[in-house]
Amino acid sequence: MSIIDYAQNWPMKIKEQLASDLLKDKTVMITGASDGIGAELSKCLGLLGANIILLGKTRQKLEAVFDQVAPICQGELIITPCDLSRLEQEDIRKLHDSIENEFKGLDALIHCASILGPKVPLAHYPPDAWAEVMMTNANSVFLLNQGLFDLLEAGERSCVIHVSSTVGRKARAYWGAYAVSKFAVEGISQILADETEDQGKMKVFSINPGATRTKMRKEAYPFEDSKTVPDASTLMPLFSLLVIGSLLDCSLSRDLPGTGGQIDARTWEFPN
Ligand SMILES: NC(=O)c1ccc[n+]([C@@H]2O[C@H](COP(=O)([O-])OP(=O)(O)OC[C@H]3O[C@@H](n4cnc5c(N)ncnc54)[C@H](OP(=O)(O)O)[C@@H]3O)[C@@H](O)[C@H]2O)c1
């Protein structure tokens, strides 16, 4: 499969720009790459020729994504099993050094990894589960952005994409630590954008993907008919625009939302 086949139904304005070596020599790290939206992103950015660091919790699942992406990816693929709920400075230092040795820098960091945690009232929310959700979904985002910041600054341009949620913008009963962790992620995104805007090299976004057919969606809505929910491939034109428009000086750069933008994928329309 080529990116042209993959992107058949995308808006013409993006489709015209696509090529299998468009992101050649660009290095992207995707957390949560072993499943759902992160796995689809790995495939899409692989088809665009990027080097991809796939980070996820479960080694076997990462290997399965690797096996799927490797035959279609022109760039290098690296799997990095890592439990973000137990992320320590030493893990980040090793990750930093291996990216620096292999690629010199990091062009894009996309935070997809998340867990849902229990859906119960705050009055009954188990504190251990609260800590695990906050660490996996929010604290690890801060720690990775901080620990890899100099690699993101090493090149001419870079981008950081934070995957958020509807309940990270307007909270709802029973969504507990998941919702609070996404409010935190929105905050991290806005602060990082504000702190880097003057320099103009780094673009920072938060995306609410909206309902997407994945394992997490099934866990959150077990009785929903999955067939009625769009799959992760429908999000790829937006993610591709953000990555390509941020990293390359091309016509898509003019269609980028401003840094710090909070994008709602399901209502987003490609600018005319
Ligand atoms: N799907 C939706 O409808 C929806 C809606 C709104 C927002 N989102 C957001 O979209 C993003 C992607 O969600 P998804 O639906 O694709 O979820 P998913 O299919 O459940 O995938 C979650 C990913 O996160 C990884 N992960 C979980 N805990 C981890 C840990 N401790 N350390 C490292 N990796 C860990 C998983 O790795 P393992 O598989 O190895 O555990 C997996 O790769 C999330 O940020 C989610 O909050 C999704």
Side-chain angles (χ1 to χ4, degrees):
M1 181 193 283
S2 73
I3 187 64
I4 308 299
D5 302 327
Y6 178 81
Q8 264 176 25
N9 302 321
W10 290 20
M12 187 53 75
K13 224 170 156 188
I14 308 188
K15 244 173 25 180
E16 297 175 335
Q17 305 291 319
L18 301 176
S20 60
D21 59 354
L22 194 63
L23 294 178
K24 187 172 181 302
D25 298 329
K26 302 293 179 198
T27 302
V28 182
M29 185 165 105
I30 303 169
T31 76
S34 50
D35 214 333
I37 296 168
E40 191 66 33
L41 256 172
S42 308
K43 183 175 164 189
C44 174
L45 298 179
L47 284 167
L48 286 165
N51 301 317
I52 306 180
I53 301 155
L54 308 156
L55 187 149
K57 187 171 161 186
T58 317
R59 174 179 282 278
Q60 293 94 313
K61 289 175 70 178
L62 284 171
E63 286 172 350
V65 175
F66 180 96
D67 289 345
Q68 213 199 3
V69 178
I72 55 172
C73 179
Q74 312 259 339
E76 275 191 60
L77 268 190
I78 293 183
I79 59 170
T80 308
C82 172
D83 182 351
L84 294 174
S85 72
R86 294 160 189 270
L87 186 66
E88 293 190 358
Q89 291 295 342
E90 180 60 11
D91 304 319
I92 300 174
R93 196 188 55 71
K94 283 189 190 152
L95 185 59
H96 175 283
D97 292 353
S98 63
I99 297 173
E100 189 170 44
N101 291 337
E102 189 73 25
F103 302 113
K104 307 280 180 272
L106 182 64
D107 301 289
L109 174 54
I110 308 180
H111 297 280
C112 282
S114 267
I115 51 171
L116 190 61
K119 278 178 81 182
V120 295
L122 289 179
H124 302 293
Y125 206 98
D128 288 355
W130 184 278
E132 187 187 357
V133 173
M134 293 303 291
M135 183 61 204
T136 307
N137 298 5
N139 296 5
S140 71
V141 171
F142 155 68
L143 291 169
L144 288 173
N145 284 352
Q146 183 184 62
L148 304 179
F149 189 77
D150 66 316
L151 297 178
L152 286 160
E153 283 216 303
E156 291 278 288
R157 297 154 180 265
S158 63
C159 75
V160 180
I161 301 177
H162 303 93
V163 181
S164 180
S165 170
T166 307
V167 294
R169 294 178 183 171
K170 171 90 175 73
R172 227 182 284 151
Y174 314 128
W175 284 79
Y178 177 81
V180 173
S181 70
K182 294 299 186 181
F183 271 82
V185 164
E186 294 283 358
I188 292 169
S189 187
Q190 288 173 29
I191 293 169
L192 185 62
D194 206 27
E195 289 174 352
T196 52
E197 187 169 14
D198 282 352
Q199 221 187 348
K201 285 169 47 167
M202 188 185 294
K203 304 289 181 208
V204 184
F205 306 104
S206 82
I207 297 185
N208 168 22
T212 308
R213 194 191 313 152
T214 65
K215 179 168 69 68
M216 181 182 284
R217 179 74 190 181
K218 194 73 192 160
E219 194 185 336
Y221 297 95
F223 303 114
E224 180 178 68
D225 177 0
S226 306
K227 292 195 289 296
T228 62
V229 182
D231 69 27
S233 70
T234 56
L235 300 166
M236 296 304 123
L238 171 58
F239 275 101
S240 301
L241 166 71
L242 296 183
V243 174
I244 296 167
S246 297
L247 301 189
L248 304 178
D249 187 8
C250 62
S251 65
L252 292 177
S253 311
R254 290 191 287 279
D255 296 317
L256 267 188
T259 188
Q262 291 179 288
I263 305 154
D264 201 330
R266 297 295 170 206
T267 56
W268 173 79
E269 284 180 22
F270 196 85
N272 286 315

